[in-house]
């Protein structure tokens, strides 16, 4: 049997190539500038001269009986009047007791006994007290001046920087399409 000739068809499809480059986005955010300047507050204190402190301890020395001799004698002199008046008072009381002899008792013996052991009260010292020292302070005039401080702020915002590279697509033909038809060889004899 004889073979039937065949037509051969060869087909090749086209191929497309793609080169894709990714896009880039860059964003820069610079820091804002910030400056701060401060002036410190000031306090000025001025005084007119020195303060004066006076201490008088004469009464303390008198209370310990080691003070000034003139003050000591003056103290004795002033107490002398009081002691004299107390002596006159005692004499009057003794006289009244003697005048009342009819009431009984032994007023002469009692008065003699009291007089024998009696002391004359002469106080040569001043009164003892914790307030015997006089302290006097004369302060000076002090002036205080204040100067306010201040703070200066300066800030500048720097804008964003954005840069963008777009993505790229390169399209090319990698392989052409083709169609190849081969006729059969017909070699027949008749």
């Amino acid at each position: 049997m004889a073979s039937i000739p065949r037509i051969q068809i060869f087909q090749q499809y086209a191929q497309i190539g793609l080169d894709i480059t990714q896009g880039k986005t860059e964003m820069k955010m610079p820091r804002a500038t910030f400056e701060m300047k401060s002036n410190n507050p000031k306090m000025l204190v001025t005084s007119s001269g020195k303060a004066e402190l006076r201490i008088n301890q004469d009464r303390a020395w008198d209370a310990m009986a080691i003070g000034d001799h003139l003050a000591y004698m003056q103290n004795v002199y002033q107490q002398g009047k009081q002691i004299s008046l107390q002596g006159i008072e005692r004499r009057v009381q003794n006289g009244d007791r003697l005048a009342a002899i009819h009431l009984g008792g032994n007023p002469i013996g009692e008065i003699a006994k009291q007089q024998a052991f009696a002391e004359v009260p002469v106080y040569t010292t001043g009164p003892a007290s914790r307030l015997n020292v006089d302290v006097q302070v004369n302060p000076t005039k002090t002036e205080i001046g204040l100067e306010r401080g201040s703070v200066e702020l300066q800030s500048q915002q720097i804008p964003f920087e954005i840069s963008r590279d777009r993505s790229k697509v390169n399209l090319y033909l990698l392989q052409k399409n083709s169609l190849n038809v081969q006729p059969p060889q017909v070699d027949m004899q008749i």
Side-chain angles (χ1 to χ4, degrees):
M1 209 160 139
S3 66
I4 301 174
R6 293 185 185 172
I7 298 175
Q8 290 185 350
I9 300 173
F10 296 101
Q11 183 180 5
Q12 185 177 0
Y13 293 104
Q15 290 184 354
I16 297 173
L18 290 175
D19 283 338
I20 300 174
T21 306
Q22 286 275 346
K24 287 184 184 178
T25 302
E26 288 186 12
M27 187 167 61
K28 293 181 183 177
M29 185 176 142
R31 290 187 173 197
T33 60
F34 182 81
E35 293 179 16
M36 183 171 73
K37 183 179 179 184
S38 65
N39 297 323
N40 293 331
K42 295 178 183 174
M43 183 169 77
L44 304 170
V45 179
T46 56
S47 63
S48 57
K50 295 181 179 178
E52 187 178 346
L53 173 67
R54 292 184 182 180
I55 299 174
N56 185 354
Q57 52 190 4
D58 291 341
R59 290 187 298 147
W61 295 123
D62 289 343
M64 294 186 289
I66 55 173
D68 185 22
H69 182 69
L70 182 61
Y72 173 79
M73 292 308 291
Q74 194 171 14
N75 190 15
V76 170
Y77 170 74
Q78 287 176 353
Q79 289 180 16
K81 286 184 188 177
Q82 186 65 28
I83 291 171
S84 298
L85 290 175
Q86 288 174 356
I88 292 170
E89 181 183 2
R90 261 194 327 272
R91 301 268 190 271
V92 169
Q93 287 175 354
N94 290 341
D96 289 343
R97 283 176 67 193
L98 287 173
I101 200 165
H102 62 282
L103 296 175
N106 188 6
I108 296 175
E110 291 173 4
I111 292 173
K113 185 178 175 182
Q114 285 176 355
Q115 293 290 327
F117 300 109
E119 292 183 18
V120 178
V122 176
Y123 301 109
T124 58
T125 60
S129 172
R130 61 186 174 143
L131 302 175
N132 280 339
V133 178
D134 297 322
V135 178
Q136 181 181 4
V137 177
N138 295 327
T140 60
K141 186 176 180 182
T142 303
E143 294 179 7
I144 299 174
L146 296 175
E147 202 174 288
R148 285 187 160 191
S150 63
V151 177
E152 297 174 13
L153 299 175
Q154 291 182 351
S155 178
Q156 182 180 6
Q157 184 177 2
I158 299 173
F160 293 124
E161 296 176 10
I162 299 175
S163 62
R164 180 173 171 97
D165 290 336
R166 293 186 177 215
S167 54
K168 295 178 185 176
V169 178
N170 188 10
L171 180 66
Y172 60 91
L173 188 59
L174 185 64
Q175 180 178 314
K176 289 184 178 183
N177 60 342
S178 65
L179 182 65
N180 189 359
V181 177
Q182 291 181 355
Q185 291 186 358
V186 177
D187 188 14
M188 291 175 91
Q189 295 181 358
I190 306 187

